[in-house]
Amino acid sequence: MLIHKKDQVLEYLEGLNPSQRAAVEQTKGPVMIVAGAGSGKTRVITFRVAHLVRSGVDSFNLLVLTFTNKAAKEMRKRIIELVGPEAKNIWMGTFHSVFAKILRVEAAKIGYPTNFTIYDTDDSKSLLRAILREQQLDDKLYNANFVYNRISSAKNNLISAAEYLKNAQIQSEDTATGRGRLGEIYQIYSQRCFKAGAMDFDDILFKTNVLLREHPDALYKYQNKFKYLMVDEYQDTNYSQYLIVKKLAAINENICVVGDDAQSIYAFRGANIQNILNFEKDYPDLKVFKLEQNYRSTQNIVNVANSIIANNKNQLKKNVFSKNEEGDKIKVARAFSDNEEGKIVAESILQERGVKGLKFNDFAILYRTNAQSRSMEEALRKLNVPYKIYGGLSFYQRKEIKDLISYFRLTFNSNDEEALKRVINYPKRGIGDTSMERIIIAADQHKITPWEVISDAGRFLEQRSATAIGNFAIMIQSFQVVAKNQTAYEAALHIAQHSGLLKDLYTDKSVEGLNRYENIQELLNGIKEFSEREDIEDRGLDIFMQDVALLTNDDNDKNPDADTVSLMTIHSAKGLEFPHVYVVGLEENLFPSQMSINSRADLEEERRLFYVAITRAEKKLTISYATSRYRWGTLTSCEPSRFLDEIDAQFLELEFKNTQKTTDKNPFFDDTLASSKSADTFSKIKPNSGIIRKTTSMLPKAHIPSEGFAPSDISGLQVGMEVEHERFGYGKVINIEGNKSDIKATIFFKELGQKQLLLKFAKLRIVI
């Protein structure tokens, strides 16, 4: 039932604040709603659609576009509660779901059957792999993932295969990289899809643009059908989506877009922030409404987010504020290494939970890259803190990690059949499924293990396959020798290199390939740290594997409602919120990423990503960074992120303490003040004064060993001698104790303070 009486409409809108209500009531003409984080965006969209229906707009004439099916489902449910079953007639859904529905109706116009198939990503890549094999192309240069991403990017920019082949600049770029046949592959792929009556995911928007461009009758039909358009998350639209929306709204111009330029973080997926920044150029009569009250976060969290995003030049200015409690200051924690960072975060979660009676569900750990989850996962597991990885697999469950670990397992237990099956033909070495079946059959016939068959392949298998299988056996046997005679790290690196796994991942230059390569690097970093531990005697790769076996036990509760800490990348966290948030890894070349610091546009997107991370927090926010991280086995000094310098210092609480006093007059070099919670202390520091960089300039950095560093014979080590440790730097021996086989030295290191080391593992160089 439609409601027209003014007093009833007014009562219906009473729950909105003035800005929200104004945006809801403006039903005619072009409208842009700039919705700050936590400002009730979904509520405004829901009420605006309901208000249109209650005001007499035919629900069949409404088109509402979202970016997730979940968002569309939730909105429709709320609208039905407000206006009844009339809401079921609204065209509401994701871009792909709505326009796939239209293409089913109009398919004949563009030469497709109405029951066309939609290929998912795996279908598309499988077809591309078949084409690449048929064309006998080098699968290192023409990797299926890379080719798929290249074609996807072209379609999102409305470049057809024919246009791709005609574009001289594109052809020149492809030729320069040794991939001059990409256009030809794109053309063959498109022809094969068309012949099969299939569209891939990108085709849905690409073909919709073709339909609206080449068939004016279809364009006119849908322009008149959709008299009112609403687009959620407009800052995430790409060129293809932008053109569709613009064409459909061209007659009536009753278009409302909702979004926040400060949360535009998907450029790598084709999103174009200029769509929202330049919206007024397309619609000069545009009415802009700004939702600036944040209902989610404390005042301090909102203030920190504002101080960060203020550094972006390309933005729609708004003054986000909160009327919630002032809240705790934002903690900044510094760790010596990424492993210590994980320990700090895990211990903090346990402490906060215990003191405040919270659930693990109240906590989230956000990071820039998936590889960073390793140190967090290990620290949480050691303290028996349950957690769940969102938007990705647990670090040790990722394919590339399981592949390399399977090589490790096979090295120490050649009868491990599951590990054998996983790696015998990865990377490809001509030992297919048929060969593996013959190995299993031979083992069963002779009542021996598959490994015994493999290690004597010439006896049990036909010559054609015996050579490749025999070479594989020799490789594994060589790994066994290396593992016995080298450190855990040296053995692991040797296996990663000589198995061919590292090379295979390195040649895949797609985003996914780079992530997999980084994950292997992170695993090797963890093994490097393990091999240098001084609190255990046996540090071989086999002992590391025992630890990993415990870590990878599938003992997590599969209940989605289980009480667990949430771990995820910041990209995965968009749209979510948590009472307590930890944003980790705030270091230069990590966050902002190394790839982003060469252009303003990329750097500003990284800053928007940091803004998104901050605004996920409701009650408490902790930011952390490490002063050193392992990169391919080398301990590398890290510089705090420039983003930390951009935070207004009055909202910060610095958690770290210096290990030594200094005469510097800056109060933040004094440990008693560095951890002070006094507002007076912070008032002495000017906003954006670079306090993080200044305080850390005197803090311990990763030691760089002296040239030609080599451990000395420490049999004559005495109290008072000066020594150098490869990791801890220079120090002075202040005590020696213990028996001959278990001598310990207490050393005061200049940068780290006092440490006790077991001399037979310490690897010290005697300086004086």
Side-chain angles (χ1 to χ4, degrees):
M1 177 180 175
L2 299 181
I3 298 176
H4 299 286
K5 293 184 180 180
K6 186 176 180 181
D7 58 341
Q8 289 177 298
V9 173
L10 291 175
E11 182 181 349
Y12 163 74
L13 298 175
E14 281 179 357
L16 302 173
N17 69 34
S19 298
Q20 292 173 333
R21 180 164 175 168
V24 166
E25 291 185 306
Q26 183 61 50
T27 58
K28 293 289 186 180
V31 173
M32 179 166 67
I33 302 173
V34 182
S39 62
K41 170 178 68 73
T42 302
R43 178 180 174 85
V44 170
I45 296 173
T46 302
F47 274 56
R48 191 173 190 276
V49 174
H51 185 61
L52 283 166
V53 175
R54 282 178 170 254
S55 300
V57 173
D58 189 337
S59 55
F60 282 98
N61 295 142
L62 277 167
L63 172 62
V64 182
L65 298 170
T66 65
F67 270 81
T68 66
N69 288 309
K70 180 182 177 183
K73 185 177 179 181
E74 289 178 355
M75 284 183 196
R76 189 183 295 277
K77 181 181 178 182
R78 292 190 196 181
I79 295 167
I80 289 174
E81 291 173 356
L82 292 169
V83 302
E86 186 72 16
K88 295 180 180 180
N89 302 325
I90 299 170
W91 281 58
M92 178 183 293
T94 64
F95 276 86
H96 290 88
S97 65
V98 167
F99 294 114
K101 184 177 178 181
I102 289 176
L103 288 174
R104 294 281 182 205
V105 176
E106 309 295 342
K109 287 186 170 67
I110 54 175
Y112 278 81
T114 56
N115 63 339
F116 62 82
T117 300
I118 298 177
Y119 281 170
D120 63 17
T121 302
D122 288 340
D123 295 326
S124 297
K125 290 182 179 179
S126 178
L127 174 56
L128 282 169
R129 279 190 286 269
I131 293 170
L132 294 170
R133 283 195 301 270
E134 293 165 9
Q135 297 298 312
Q136 298 182 333
L137 293 169
D138 183 349
D139 62 359
K140 297 294 186 286
L141 276 175
Y142 292 93
N143 176 275
N145 290 329
F146 177 85
V147 176
Y148 173 81
N149 290 333
R150 186 73 169 175
I151 292 173
S152 175
S153 178
K155 288 182 179 179
N156 285 331
N157 285 285
L158 301 183
I159 300 172
S160 67
E163 290 166 332
Y164 191 103
L165 283 166
K166 292 177 184 177
N167 190 303
Q169 182 178 345
I170 293 176
Q171 293 304 305
S172 176
E173 290 174 0
D174 288 348
T175 301
T177 61
R179 300 184 179 94
R181 295 186 65 187
L182 276 174
E184 182 184 345
I185 297 167
Y186 182 8
Q187 189 172 52
I188 295 171
Y189 171 76
S190 298
Q191 291 169 347
R192 293 274 282 271
C193 285
F194 185 77
K195 186 176 179 180
M199 295 186 194
D200 65 20
F201 199 63
D202 298 306
D203 275 329
I204 294 172
L205 299 182
F206 183 84
K207 299 297 183 183
T208 299
N209 270 289
V210 171
L211 173 70
L212 300 181
R213 182 183 67 220
E214 298 182 0
H215 299 275
D217 57 327
L219 174 60
Y220 183 77
K221 171 183 174 181
Y222 291 102
Q223 284 175 333
N224 282 278
K225 176 174 179 57
F226 301 129
K227 292 182 168 61
Y228 292 84
L229 279 75
M230 285 195 70
V231 186
D232 188 19
E233 303 286 9
Y234 190 67
Q235 77 279 351
D236 294 333
T237 53
N238 61 28
Y239 180 62
S240 181
Q241 291 162 329
Y242 160 79
L243 275 187
I244 292 172
V245 170
K246 187 179 179 182
K247 286 177 180 176
L248 291 178
I251 291 180
N252 298 296
E253 291 198 348
N254 291 322
I255 178 172
C256 174
V257 300
V258 186
D260 182 7
D261 59 297
Q263 297 185 65
S264 179
I265 59 172
Y266 294 121
F268 69 96
R269 294 202 310 219
N272 186 355
I273 191 174
Q274 297 304 319
N275 291 349
I276 192 167
L277 293 179
N278 297 332
F279 192 66
E280 190 169 3
K281 293 182 179 178
D282 290 329
Y283 303 96
D285 298 329
L286 179 70
K287 289 183 171 59
V288 179
F289 299 91
K290 296 181 180 181
L291 308 183
E292 297 174 309
Q293 182 173 351
N294 182 306
Y295 291 91
R296 175 189 302 157
S297 307
T298 65
Q299 294 179 38
N300 276 326
I301 292 172
V302 170
N303 289 336
V304 165
N306 286 344
S307 67
I308 285 293
I309 205 64
N311 291 275
N312 272 9
K313 289 188 175 181
N314 296 314
Q315 63 172 301
L316 299 170
K317 293 292 183 181
K318 55 185 175 297
N319 179 34
V320 178
F321 65 94
S322 174
K323 291 184 179 180
N324 295 336
E325 61 182 347
E326 182 180 5
D328 293 336
K329 290 182 183 292
I330 282 61
K331 288 189 175 182
V332 179
R334 185 204 69 237
F336 178 77
S337 67
D338 47 353
N339 274 8
E340 187 184 36
E341 183 183 34
K343 181 181 178 183
I344 289 171
V345 170
E347 289 176 347
S348 173
I349 289 173
L350 275 182
Q351 182 179 2
E352 289 286 329
R353 179 176 178 268
V355 171
K356 299 180 180 179
L358 302 171
K359 295 181 178 180
F360 287 120
N361 277 337
D362 293 326
F363 299 89
I365 302 172
L366 310 183
Y367 34 78
R368 179 63 182 84
T369 66
N370 276 311
Q372 290 171 259
S373 76
R374 179 192 64 82
S375 57
M376 296 297 144
E377 288 187 70
E378 291 183 358
L380 293 170
R381 284 180 181 272
K382 285 177 182 176
L383 295 178
N384 293 317
V385 175
Y387 67 89
K388 182 176 180 180
I389 300 284
Y390 287 80
L393 293 171
S394 170
F395 182 84
Y396 288 103
Q397 294 299 314
R398 291 166 187 157
K399 178 187 180 300
E400 62 277 9
I401 299 300
K402 293 183 76 172
D403 288 339
L404 184 52
I405 285 177
S406 291
Y407 272 109
F408 297 163
R409 285 166 51 187
L410 199 58
T411 297
F412 291 101
N413 177 13
S414 52
N415 291 324
D416 188 333
E417 189 171 328
E418 289 305 309
L420 173 65
K421 289 177 180 177
R422 188 175 188 96
V423 301
I424 193 170
N425 199 38
Y426 177 72
K428 291 182 179 179
R429 48 178 64 93
I431 309 174
D433 293 340
T434 302
S435 296
M436 193 64 216
E437 287 173 7
R438 288 172 179 164
I439 291 169
I440 299 297
I441 291 170
D444 289 341
Q445 287 176 343
H446 294 85
K447 300 188 185 317
I448 56 178
T449 65
W451 176 255
E452 288 174 294
V453 174
I454 288 170
S455 56
D456 196 2
R459 176 185 170 192
F460 296 104
L461 303 169
E462 60 186 44
Q463 190 60 39
R464 186 175 58 182
S465 59
T467 301
I469 293 170
N471 289 338
F472 174 77
I474 292 170
M475 179 183 71
I476 297 299
Q477 289 164 348
S478 72
F479 292 168
Q480 293 168 346
V481 174
V482 169
K484 288 180 181 177
N485 298 296
Q486 295 188 1
T487 68
Y489 174 72
E490 290 167 343
L493 182 60
H494 178 91
I495 293 170
Q497 291 173 333
H498 290 81
S499 65
L501 183 147
L502 207 55
K503 181 180 178 182
D504 187 72
L505 293 176
Y506 181 76
T507 54
D508 182 359
K509 299 302 182 183
S510 67
V511 174
E512 295 87 351
L514 291 172
N515 284 337
R516 286 192 287 268
Y517 188 69
E518 288 177 356
N519 288 337
I520 291 296
Q521 174 187 337
E522 187 64 18
L523 175 62
L524 294 173
N525 288 343
I527 297 173
K528 175 71 170 180
E529 290 197 358
F530 170 84
S531 68
E532 294 184 345
R533 285 177 59 182
E534 296 175 358
D535 58 335
I536 55 174
E537 290 194 21
D538 196 341
R539 292 167 291 180
L541 186 56
D542 55 337
I543 303 301
F544 177 83
M545 289 304 301
Q546 291 178 26
D547 290 348
V548 168
L550 295 174
L551 286 177
T552 55
N553 257 347
D554 193 11
D555 55 3
N556 286 341
D557 191 347
K558 299 301 181 184
N559 181 358
D561 298 320
D563 187 21
T564 57
V565 175
S566 299
L567 273 67
M568 66 190 80
T569 64
I570 302 168
H571 283 100
S572 298
K574 188 170 181 290
L576 303 177
E577 55 191 50
F578 304 90
H580 289 239
V581 169
Y582 295 81
V583 185
V584 300
L586 262 292
E587 298 138 35
E588 284 292 297
N589 299 323
L590 180 58
F591 197 11
S593 72
Q594 190 171 12
M595 301 291 287
S596 72
I597 58 178
N598 295 319
S599 77
R600 178 176 296 281
D602 290 341
L603 182 60
E604 291 201 347
E605 172 137 340
E606 287 287 295
R607 190 176 284 113
R608 292 194 294 270
L609 191 60
F610 187 34
Y611 176 87
V612 167
I614 291 169
T615 54
R616 298 312 93 197
E618 297 173 353
K619 299 292 185 183
K620 193 165 186 177
L621 172 67
T622 300
I623 300 169
S624 65
Y625 65 95
T627 60
S628 63
R629 284 183 189 270
Y630 274 97
R631 298 185 189 279
W632 291 108
T634 301
L635 190 65
T636 305
S637 179
C638 301
E639 182 183 356
S641 170
R642 68 189 69 191
F643 295 155
L644 292 171
D645 286 340
E646 296 173 356
I647 300 176
D648 194 326
Q650 66 178 305
F651 305 120
L652 297 179
E653 175 186 331
L654 306 184
E655 282 249 297
F656 44 83
K657 294 184 179 181
N658 292 333
T659 56
Q660 59 182 10
K661 299 283 185 179
T662 173
T663 58
D664 196 297
K665 293 181 180 179
N666 190 318
F668 279 86
F669 290 149
D670 185 307
D671 13 310
T672 60
L673 292 179
S675 60
S676 170
K677 298 183 180 180
S678 167
D680 292 338
T681 300
F682 285 93
S683 67
K684 298 175 183 177
I685 307 301
K686 295 180 180 179
N688 304 317
S689 61
I691 189 62
I692 299 298
R693 203 169 305 281
K694 288 178 182 176
T695 51
T696 56
S697 64
M698 296 294 290
L699 298 176
K701 296 277 187 176
H703 175 66
I704 300 175
S706 57
E707 188 173 351
F709 176 90
S712 302
D713 177 4
I714 45 82
S715 59
L717 188 70
Q718 298 178 15
V719 173
M721 283 186 171
E722 290 189 14
V723 295
E724 180 188 10
H725 187 279
E726 190 173 17
R727 178 175 175 182
F728 303 145
Y730 293 97
K732 189 171 186 176
V733 180
I734 59 176
N735 187 43
I736 298 178
E737 60 185 35
N739 56 43
K740 189 173 181 180
S741 63
D742 190 29
I743 301 175
K744 297 177 182 178
T746 302
I747 303 171
F748 185 85
F749 289 100
K750 294 178 181 179
E751 294 293 334
L752 295 171
Q754 185 171 303
K755 282 185 174 291
Q756 190 176 67
L757 305 178
L758 198 62
L759 283 185
K760 61 181 177 181
F761 297 124
K763 296 182 181 178
L764 298 172
R765 181 178 77 87
I766 298 175
V767 179
I768 299 177

